Amino acid sequence: MSTQLPEGRYSRNASRSPADAPTPKSRRRAISLSVLGALAGLVVAFVGYRNLADKPVTAEVITFDVVNSSTVEMRFTVTRSDPAKAAVCIVRARSIDGSETGRREVYVPPSPESVLSLSTSVRTSAPPVVGDVYGCGSTVPAYLVPAR
Protein backbone atom coordinates (compact mmCIF):
# COMPACT_ATOMS: atom_id res chain seq x y z
CA MET A 1 0.00 0.00 0.00
CA SER A 2 1.53 3.32 -1.06
CA THR A 3 0.75 6.55 0.75
CA GLN A 4 -0.23 9.41 -1.45
CA LEU A 5 -0.93 12.84 -0.08
CA PRO A 6 -4.27 14.34 -0.97
CA GLU A 7 -3.90 16.72 -3.87
CA GLY A 8 -4.41 20.42 -3.13
CA ARG A 9 -3.81 20.07 0.60
CA TYR A 10 -0.09 20.73 0.53
CA SER A 11 1.64 23.37 -1.56
CA ARG A 12 4.03 22.38 -4.26
CA ASN A 13 6.76 24.48 -2.60
CA ALA A 14 6.62 22.46 0.61
CA SER A 15 9.79 20.69 -0.37
CA ARG A 16 12.04 22.90 -2.43
CA SER A 17 14.60 21.43 -4.65
CA PRO A 18 17.96 23.14 -5.31
CA ALA A 19 16.61 24.16 -8.70
CA ASP A 20 13.97 26.33 -6.93
CA ALA A 21 16.55 28.28 -4.85
CA PRO A 22 16.73 32.07 -5.42
CA THR A 23 19.10 33.09 -8.16
CA PRO A 24 21.97 35.51 -7.54
CA LYS A 25 20.16 38.03 -9.78
CA SER A 26 16.99 38.01 -7.65
CA ARG A 27 19.10 38.17 -4.48
CA ARG A 28 20.91 41.28 -5.81
CA ARG A 29 17.57 42.84 -6.69
CA ALA A 30 16.25 42.27 -3.16
CA ILE A 31 19.40 43.76 -1.61
CA SER A 32 19.27 46.76 -3.97
CA LEU A 33 15.62 47.44 -3.13
CA SER A 34 16.39 47.18 0.59
CA VAL A 35 19.26 49.67 0.29
CA LEU A 36 17.11 52.08 -1.77
CA GLY A 37 14.33 51.83 0.81
CA ALA A 38 16.76 52.61 3.64
CA LEU A 39 18.15 55.62 1.73
CA ALA A 40 14.64 56.91 1.03
CA GLY A 41 13.84 56.61 4.73
CA LEU A 42 16.96 58.61 5.62
CA VAL A 43 16.05 61.35 3.15
CA VAL A 44 12.52 61.61 4.56
CA ALA A 45 13.91 61.76 8.12
CA PHE A 46 16.40 64.50 7.17
CA VAL A 47 13.78 66.64 5.41
CA GLY A 48 11.39 66.20 8.34
CA TYR A 49 14.09 67.22 10.80
CA ARG A 50 14.98 70.33 8.79
CA ASN A 51 11.35 71.41 8.49
CA LEU A 52 10.05 70.49 11.93
CA ALA A 53 13.04 71.06 14.21
CA ASP A 54 13.17 74.08 16.50
CA LYS A 55 13.93 77.24 14.58
CA PRO A 56 17.06 79.16 15.66
CA VAL A 57 15.19 82.51 15.48
CA THR A 58 11.50 83.09 16.23
CA ALA A 59 9.42 86.22 16.75
CA GLU A 60 6.07 87.15 18.20
CA VAL A 61 4.06 90.37 17.89
CA ILE A 62 3.43 92.10 21.22
CA THR A 63 1.37 95.02 19.92
CA PHE A 64 0.52 96.78 16.69
CA ASP A 65 -1.11 100.14 16.17
CA VAL A 66 -2.66 101.43 12.95
CA VAL A 67 -1.34 105.00 12.97
CA ASN A 68 -3.09 106.15 9.78
CA SER A 69 -4.25 104.79 6.44
CA SER A 70 -0.67 104.10 5.34
CA THR A 71 1.31 103.21 8.50
CA VAL A 72 1.37 100.46 11.12
CA GLU A 73 3.64 100.60 14.16
CA MET A 74 4.63 97.26 15.63
CA ARG A 75 6.37 96.00 18.71
CA PHE A 76 7.61 92.42 18.73
CA THR A 77 9.97 90.09 20.57
CA VAL A 78 12.69 88.04 18.93
CA THR A 79 13.95 84.84 20.58
CA ARG A 80 17.27 83.38 19.42
CA SER A 81 19.12 80.22 20.36
CA ASP A 82 22.42 82.11 19.91
CA PRO A 83 21.91 85.77 20.92
CA ALA A 84 25.51 86.64 19.98
CA LYS A 85 24.56 86.27 16.30
CA ALA A 86 22.68 88.94 14.37
CA ALA A 87 19.36 88.03 12.78
CA VAL A 88 16.75 89.47 10.45
CA CYS A 89 12.96 89.48 10.73
CA ILE A 90 10.42 90.32 8.06
CA VAL A 91 7.40 92.20 9.36
CA ARG A 92 4.37 93.06 7.28
CA ALA A 93 1.06 94.87 7.28
CA ARG A 94 -2.12 93.37 5.89
CA SER A 95 -5.36 94.90 4.66
CA ILE A 96 -8.93 93.89 5.47
CA ASP A 97 -8.98 91.25 2.71
CA GLY A 98 -5.80 89.63 4.09
CA SER A 99 -3.48 90.76 1.34
CA GLU A 100 -0.04 92.06 2.20
CA THR A 101 0.09 95.84 1.78
CA GLY A 102 3.50 96.58 3.29
CA ARG A 103 6.68 94.74 4.23
CA ARG A 104 9.92 95.58 5.98
CA GLU A 105 13.11 93.76 6.94
CA VAL A 106 14.29 94.51 10.46
CA TYR A 107 17.89 94.00 11.55
CA VAL A 108 18.16 92.26 14.92
CA PRO A 109 21.55 93.11 16.44
CA PRO A 110 23.57 90.73 18.60
CA SER A 111 22.77 91.08 22.29
CA PRO A 112 23.57 89.41 25.60
CA GLU A 113 19.92 88.32 26.06
CA SER A 114 18.24 85.57 24.06
CA VAL A 115 14.93 87.50 23.99
CA LEU A 116 15.00 91.01 22.54
CA SER A 117 12.14 93.50 22.16
CA LEU A 118 12.06 95.65 19.03
CA SER A 119 9.72 98.17 17.45
CA THR A 120 9.31 99.39 13.89
CA SER A 121 6.84 101.02 11.54
CA VAL A 122 5.64 99.65 8.20
CA ARG A 123 4.46 101.87 5.36
CA THR A 124 1.54 100.44 3.39
CA SER A 125 0.02 100.81 -0.05
CA ALA A 126 -3.56 100.37 1.21
CA PRO A 127 -5.30 100.91 4.55
CA PRO A 128 -3.87 98.36 7.01
CA VAL A 129 -5.77 96.47 9.69
CA VAL A 130 -3.06 94.26 11.20
CA GLY A 131 0.70 93.99 11.56
CA ASP A 132 2.46 90.64 11.92
CA VAL A 133 5.83 88.94 11.69
CA TYR A 134 6.22 86.96 8.47
CA GLY A 135 9.36 85.16 9.65
CA CYS A 136 12.91 85.44 10.94
CA GLY A 137 16.26 83.97 10.06
CA SER A 138 19.92 84.04 10.98
CA THR A 139 21.21 84.82 7.47
CA VAL A 140 21.41 88.62 7.44
CA PRO A 141 21.76 90.26 4.00
CA ALA A 142 24.83 92.49 3.64
CA TYR A 143 22.77 95.60 2.82
CA LEU A 144 21.02 95.33 6.19
CA VAL A 145 24.14 95.18 8.37
CA PRO A 146 24.89 98.64 9.79
CA ALA A 147 28.21 100.25 8.79
CA ARG A 148 30.81 100.39 11.55
mmCIF file of all heavy atoms in Angstrom, residues 76-110:
data_model
loop_
_atom_site.group_PDB
_atom_site.id
_atom_site.type_symbol
_atom_site.label_atom_id
_atom_site.label_comp_id
_atom_site.label_asym_id
_atom_site.label_seq_id
_atom_site.Cartn_x
_atom_site.Cartn_y
_atom_site.Cartn_z
ATOM 1 N N PHE A 76 7.529 93.875 18.741
ATOM 2 C CA PHE A 76 7.607 92.416 18.730
ATOM 3 C C PHE A 76 8.845 91.939 19.473
ATOM 4 O O PHE A 76 9.787 92.707 19.692
ATOM 5 C CB PHE A 76 7.591 91.876 17.294
ATOM 6 C CG PHE A 76 8.712 92.363 16.417
ATOM 7 C CD1 PHE A 76 9.817 91.563 16.174
ATOM 8 C CD2 PHE A 76 8.662 93.610 15.818
ATOM 9 C CE1 PHE A 76 10.847 92.008 15.368
ATOM 10 C CE2 PHE A 76 9.682 94.060 15.003
ATOM 11 C CZ PHE A 76 10.782 93.253 14.776
ATOM 12 N N THR A 77 8.811 90.687 19.903
ATOM 13 C CA THR A 77 9.966 90.086 20.570
ATOM 14 C C THR A 77 10.611 89.068 19.633
ATOM 15 O O THR A 77 9.928 88.389 18.878
ATOM 16 C CB THR A 77 9.581 89.370 21.879
ATOM 17 O OG1 THR A 77 8.642 88.348 21.578
ATOM 18 C CG2 THR A 77 9.020 90.322 22.888
ATOM 19 N N VAL A 78 11.912 88.993 19.712
ATOM 20 C CA VAL A 78 12.689 88.037 18.929
ATOM 21 C C VAL A 78 13.421 87.134 19.916
ATOM 22 O O VAL A 78 14.086 87.613 20.824
ATOM 23 C CB VAL A 78 13.700 88.750 18.004
ATOM 24 C CG1 VAL A 78 14.525 87.745 17.229
ATOM 25 C CG2 VAL A 78 12.978 89.692 17.072
ATOM 26 N N THR A 79 13.274 85.827 19.729
ATOM 27 C CA THR A 79 13.949 84.841 20.577
ATOM 28 C C THR A 79 14.947 84.086 19.717
ATOM 29 O O THR A 79 14.592 83.561 18.671
ATOM 30 C CB THR A 79 12.937 83.856 21.188
ATOM 31 O OG1 THR A 79 11.925 84.608 21.860
ATOM 32 C CG2 THR A 79 13.597 82.912 22.156
ATOM 33 N N ARG A 80 16.209 84.056 20.176
ATOM 34 C CA ARG A 80 17.266 83.384 19.416
ATOM 35 C C ARG A 80 17.955 82.332 20.277
ATOM 36 O O ARG A 80 18.139 82.520 21.477
ATOM 37 C CB ARG A 80 18.322 84.395 18.967
ATOM 38 C CG ARG A 80 17.805 85.393 17.978
ATOM 39 C CD ARG A 80 18.832 86.417 17.653
ATOM 40 N NE ARG A 80 18.896 87.370 18.776
ATOM 41 C CZ ARG A 80 19.635 88.444 18.785
ATOM 42 N NH1 ARG A 80 20.390 88.723 17.766
ATOM 43 N NH2 ARG A 80 19.633 89.253 19.815
ATOM 44 N N SER A 81 18.363 81.247 19.639
ATOM 45 C CA SER A 81 19.115 80.220 20.356
ATOM 46 C C SER A 81 20.542 80.690 20.614
ATOM 47 O O SER A 81 21.155 80.302 21.593
ATOM 48 C CB SER A 81 19.115 78.905 19.577
ATOM 49 O OG SER A 81 19.643 79.102 18.285
ATOM 50 N N ASP A 82 21.084 81.534 19.728
ATOM 51 C CA ASP A 82 22.418 82.115 19.909
ATOM 52 C C ASP A 82 22.300 83.628 19.818
ATOM 53 O O ASP A 82 22.356 84.208 18.732
ATOM 54 C CB ASP A 82 23.374 81.580 18.846
ATOM 55 C CG ASP A 82 24.800 82.067 19.049
ATOM 56 O OD1 ASP A 82 25.058 82.788 20.035
ATOM 57 O OD2 ASP A 82 25.666 81.715 18.226
ATOM 58 N N PRO A 83 22.128 84.325 20.965
ATOM 59 C CA PRO A 83 21.914 85.774 20.923
ATOM 60 C C PRO A 83 23.140 86.567 20.472
ATOM 61 O O PRO A 83 23.024 87.740 20.150
ATOM 62 C CB PRO A 83 21.529 86.124 22.360
ATOM 63 C CG PRO A 83 22.059 85.018 23.185
ATOM 64 C CD PRO A 83 22.065 83.797 22.321
ATOM 65 N N ALA A 84 24.301 85.932 20.422
ATOM 66 C CA ALA A 84 25.506 86.639 19.980
ATOM 67 C C ALA A 84 25.518 86.837 18.462
ATOM 68 O O ALA A 84 26.301 87.629 17.944
ATOM 69 C CB ALA A 84 26.749 85.870 20.408
ATOM 70 N N LYS A 85 24.640 86.135 17.753
ATOM 71 C CA LYS A 85 24.556 86.273 16.296
ATOM 72 C C LYS A 85 23.442 87.241 15.920
ATOM 73 O O LYS A 85 22.373 87.234 16.524
ATOM 74 C CB LYS A 85 24.248 84.926 15.646
ATOM 75 C CG LYS A 85 25.396 83.974 15.622
ATOM 76 C CD LYS A 85 24.983 82.738 14.846
ATOM 77 C CE LYS A 85 26.121 81.774 14.664
ATOM 78 N NZ LYS A 85 25.701 80.581 13.923
ATOM 79 N N ALA A 86 23.707 88.033 14.887
ATOM 80 C CA ALA A 86 22.681 88.936 14.369
ATOM 81 C C ALA A 86 21.622 88.112 13.631
ATOM 82 O O ALA A 86 21.866 86.976 13.227
ATOM 83 C CB ALA A 86 23.309 89.950 13.427
ATOM 84 N N ALA A 87 20.458 88.712 13.480
ATOM 85 C CA ALA A 87 19.360 88.032 12.782
ATOM 86 C C ALA A 87 18.587 89.064 11.977
ATOM 87 O O ALA A 87 18.865 90.264 12.045
ATOM 88 C CB ALA A 87 18.451 87.333 13.772
ATOM 89 N N VAL A 88 17.625 88.596 11.210
ATOM 90 C CA VAL A 88 16.753 89.472 10.446
ATOM 91 C C VAL A 88 15.326 88.939 10.562
ATOM 92 O O VAL A 88 15.113 87.730 10.569
ATOM 93 C CB VAL A 88 17.195 89.573 8.966
ATOM 94 C CG1 VAL A 88 17.106 88.233 8.277
ATOM 95 C CG2 VAL A 88 16.377 90.606 8.216
ATOM 96 N N CYS A 89 14.372 89.857 10.697
ATOM 97 C CA CYS A 89 12.961 89.485 10.727
ATOM 98 C C CYS A 89 12.229 90.280 9.651
ATOM 99 O O CYS A 89 12.548 91.439 9.401
ATOM 100 C CB CYS A 89 12.336 89.776 12.086
ATOM 101 S SG CYS A 89 12.889 88.669 13.391
ATOM 102 N N ILE A 90 11.260 89.651 9.048
ATOM 103 C CA ILE A 90 10.421 90.319 8.056
ATOM 104 C C ILE A 90 9.069 90.555 8.701
ATOM 105 O O ILE A 90 8.409 89.610 9.135
ATOM 106 C CB ILE A 90 10.275 89.472 6.783
ATOM 107 C CG1 ILE A 90 11.648 89.253 6.145
ATOM 108 C CG2 ILE A 90 9.318 90.137 5.804
ATOM 109 C CD1 ILE A 90 11.646 88.271 5.008
ATOM 110 N N VAL A 91 8.706 91.833 8.802
ATOM 111 C CA VAL A 91 7.403 92.203 9.356
ATOM 112 C C VAL A 91 6.559 92.735 8.210
ATOM 113 O O VAL A 91 7.085 93.235 7.214
ATOM 114 C CB VAL A 91 7.538 93.244 10.492
ATOM 115 C CG1 VAL A 91 8.276 92.653 11.672
ATOM 116 C CG2 VAL A 91 8.228 94.500 10.018
ATOM 117 N N ARG A 92 5.249 92.623 8.363
ATOM 118 C CA ARG A 92 4.374 93.058 7.283
ATOM 119 C C ARG A 92 3.068 93.611 7.825
ATOM 120 O O ARG A 92 2.690 93.356 8.961
ATOM 121 C CB ARG A 92 4.106 91.924 6.315
ATOM 122 C CG ARG A 92 3.345 90.776 6.934
ATOM 123 C CD ARG A 92 3.186 89.652 5.963
ATOM 124 N NE ARG A 92 2.463 88.546 6.586
ATOM 125 C CZ ARG A 92 2.031 87.498 5.935
ATOM 126 N NH1 ARG A 92 2.236 87.390 4.641
ATOM 127 N NH2 ARG A 92 1.377 86.549 6.554
ATOM 128 N N ALA A 93 2.389 94.353 6.974
ATOM 129 C CA ALA A 93 1.061 94.868 7.276
ATOM 130 C C ALA A 93 0.102 94.235 6.277
ATOM 131 O O ALA A 93 0.471 93.944 5.142
ATOM 132 C CB ALA A 93 1.037 96.384 7.151
ATOM 133 N N ARG A 94 -1.111 94.001 6.758
ATOM 134 C CA ARG A 94 -2.119 93.375 5.889
ATOM 135 C C ARG A 94 -3.395 94.195 5.910
ATOM 136 O O ARG A 94 -3.730 94.817 6.911
ATOM 137 C CB ARG A 94 -2.371 91.960 6.364
ATOM 138 C CG ARG A 94 -1.093 91.123 6.264
ATOM 139 C CD ARG A 94 -1.222 89.801 6.894
ATOM 140 N NE ARG A 94 -1.874 88.911 5.941
ATOM 141 C CZ ARG A 94 -2.105 87.634 6.201
ATOM 142 N NH1 ARG A 94 -1.780 87.116 7.353
ATOM 143 N NH2 ARG A 94 -2.686 86.889 5.304
ATOM 144 N N SER A 95 -4.110 94.145 4.789
ATOM 145 C CA SER A 95 -5.360 94.901 4.663
ATOM 146 C C SER A 95 -6.541 94.040 5.109
ATOM 147 O O SER A 95 -6.371 92.882 5.501
ATOM 148 C CB SER A 95 -5.555 95.371 3.214
ATOM 149 O OG SER A 95 -5.747 94.248 2.382
ATOM 150 N N ILE A 96 -7.719 94.571 5.012
ATOM 151 C CA ILE A 96 -8.932 93.893 5.475
ATOM 152 C C ILE A 96 -9.187 92.581 4.733
ATOM 153 O O ILE A 96 -9.705 91.628 5.295
ATOM 154 C CB ILE A 96 -10.170 94.835 5.373
ATOM 155 C CG1 ILE A 96 -11.382 94.249 6.097
ATOM 156 C CG2 ILE A 96 -10.506 95.120 3.931
ATOM 157 C CD1 ILE A 96 -11.299 94.341 7.578
ATOM 158 N N ASP A 97 -8.768 92.493 3.465
ATOM 159 C CA ASP A 97 -8.978 91.254 2.712
ATOM 160 C C ASP A 97 -7.859 90.228 2.935
ATOM 161 O O ASP A 97 -7.876 89.149 2.348
ATOM 162 C CB ASP A 97 -9.152 91.544 1.216
ATOM 163 C CG ASP A 97 -7.900 92.106 0.568
ATOM 164 O OD1 ASP A 97 -6.899 92.347 1.272
ATOM 165 O OD2 ASP A 97 -7.929 92.317 -0.660
ATOM 166 N N GLY A 98 -6.877 90.564 3.768
ATOM 167 C CA GLY A 98 -5.799 89.630 4.093
ATOM 168 C C GLY A 98 -4.574 89.768 3.228
ATOM 169 O O GLY A 98 -3.558 89.126 3.485
ATOM 170 N N SER A 99 -4.646 90.605 2.205
ATOM 171 C CA SER A 99 -3.478 90.759 1.337
ATOM 172 C C SER A 99 -2.410 91.608 2.013
ATOM 173 O O SER A 99 -2.696 92.471 2.835
ATOM 174 C CB SER A 99 -3.883 91.376 -0.001
ATOM 175 O OG SER A 99 -4.385 92.675 0.205
ATOM 176 N N GLU A 100 -1.177 91.325 1.647
ATOM 177 C CA GLU A 100 -0.043 92.064 2.199
ATOM 178 C C GLU A 100 0.027 93.426 1.523
ATOM 179 O O GLU A 100 0.086 93.525 0.306
ATOM 180 C CB GLU A 100 1.237 91.271 1.948
ATOM 181 C CG GLU A 100 2.461 91.909 2.547
ATOM 182 C CD GLU A 100 3.698 91.072 2.312
ATOM 183 O OE1 GLU A 100 3.838 89.996 2.917
ATOM 184 O OE2 GLU A 100 4.535 91.503 1.499
ATOM 185 N N THR A 101 0.054 94.489 2.343
ATOM 186 C CA THR A 101 0.093 95.841 1.781
ATOM 187 C C THR A 101 1.382 96.569 2.107
ATOM 188 O O THR A 101 1.617 97.655 1.606
ATOM 189 C CB THR A 101 -1.101 96.662 2.300
ATOM 190 O OG1 THR A 101 -1.058 96.687 3.731
ATOM 191 C CG2 THR A 101 -2.412 96.076 1.833
ATOM 192 N N GLY A 102 2.208 95.982 2.952
ATOM 193 C CA GLY A 102 3.497 96.580 3.288
ATOM 194 C C GLY A 102 4.395 95.541 3.928
ATOM 195 O O GLY A 102 3.923 94.605 4.577
ATOM 196 N N ARG A 103 5.705 95.719 3.711
ATOM 197 C CA ARG A 103 6.677 94.742 4.233
ATOM 198 C C ARG A 103 7.963 95.477 4.565
ATOM 199 O O ARG A 103 8.330 96.435 3.904
ATOM 200 C CB ARG A 103 6.924 93.685 3.168
ATOM 201 C CG ARG A 103 8.030 92.724 3.478
ATOM 202 C CD ARG A 103 8.243 91.757 2.350
ATOM 203 N NE ARG A 103 7.200 90.751 2.350
ATOM 204 C CZ ARG A 103 7.419 89.452 2.234
ATOM 205 N NH1 ARG A 103 8.632 89.003 2.061
ATOM 206 N NH2 ARG A 103 6.436 88.612 2.258
ATOM 207 N N ARG A 104 8.653 94.972 5.585
ATOM 208 C CA ARG A 104 9.924 95.583 5.975
ATOM 209 C C ARG A 104 10.827 94.536 6.605
ATOM 210 O O ARG A 104 10.364 93.688 7.371
ATOM 211 C CB ARG A 104 9.658 96.698 6.967
ATOM 212 C CG ARG A 104 10.898 97.410 7.389
ATOM 213 C CD ARG A 104 10.589 98.581 8.240
ATOM 214 N NE ARG A 104 11.818 99.322 8.426
ATOM 215 C CZ ARG A 104 11.903 100.460 9.022
ATOM 216 N NH1 ARG A 104 10.816 101.012 9.498
ATOM 217 N NH2 ARG A 104 13.051 101.060 9.164
ATOM 218 N N GLU A 105 12.109 94.616 6.287
ATOM 219 C CA GLU A 105 13.110 93.760 6.935
ATOM 220 C C GLU A 105 13.687 94.530 8.114
ATOM 221 O O GLU A 105 14.031 95.701 7.979
ATOM 222 C CB GLU A 105 14.236 93.401 5.967
ATOM 223 C CG GLU A 105 13.779 92.539 4.815
ATOM 224 C CD GLU A 105 14.881 92.340 3.806
ATOM 225 O OE1 GLU A 105 15.485 93.352 3.391
ATOM 226 O OE2 GLU A 105 15.120 91.178 3.438
ATOM 227 N N VAL A 106 13.789 93.866 9.253
ATOM 228 C CA VAL A 106 14.293 94.510 10.457
ATOM 229 C C VAL A 106 15.555 93.781 10.903
ATOM 230 O O VAL A 106 15.545 92.564 11.103
ATOM 231 C CB VAL A 106 13.233 94.483 11.584
ATOM 232 C CG1 VAL A 106 13.781 95.128 12.848
ATOM 233 C CG2 VAL A 106 11.954 95.168 11.134
ATOM 234 N N TYR A 107 16.626 94.545 11.057
ATOM 235 C CA TYR A 107 17.887 93.999 11.548
ATOM 236 C C TYR A 107 17.787 93.775 13.051
ATOM 237 O O TYR A 107 17.354 94.658 13.793
ATOM 238 C CB TYR A 107 19.023 94.970 11.220
ATOM 239 C CG TYR A 107 20.371 94.556 11.757
ATOM 240 C CD1 TYR A 107 21.077 93.516 11.191
ATOM 241 C CD2 TYR A 107 20.927 95.226 12.837
ATOM 242 C CE1 TYR A 107 22.316 93.138 11.675
ATOM 243 C CE2 TYR A 107 22.172 94.860 13.328
ATOM 244 C CZ TYR A 107 22.863 93.818 12.741
ATOM 245 O OH TYR A 107 24.088 93.444 13.233
ATOM 246 N N VAL A 108 18.167 92.591 13.498
ATOM 247 C CA VAL A 108 18.161 92.262 14.923
ATOM 248 C C VAL A 108 19.631 92.136 15.344
ATOM 249 O O VAL A 108 20.306 91.174 14.973
ATOM 250 C CB VAL A 108 17.406 90.945 15.198
ATOM 251 C CG1 VAL A 108 17.381 90.656 16.683
ATOM 252 C CG2 VAL A 108 16.003 90.997 14.614
ATOM 253 N N PRO A 109 20.129 93.119 16.093
ATOM 254 C CA PRO A 109 21.551 93.107 16.440
ATOM 255 C C PRO A 109 21.888 92.031 17.482
ATOM 256 O O PRO A 109 21.010 91.570 18.205
ATOM 257 C CB PRO A 109 21.777 94.507 17.025
ATOM 258 C CG PRO A 109 20.445 94.893 17.577
ATOM 259 C CD PRO A 109 19.427 94.261 16.665
ATOM 260 N N PRO A 110 23.154 91.654 17.543
ATOM 261 C CA PRO A 110 23.573 90.729 18.603
ATOM 262 C C PRO A 110 23.322 91.379 19.965
ATOM 263 O O PRO A 110 23.388 92.598 20.101
ATOM 264 C CB PRO A 110 25.076 90.545 18.364
ATOM 265 C CG PRO A 110 25.310 90.996 16.967
ATOM 266 C CD PRO A 110 24.251 91.997 16.658
#
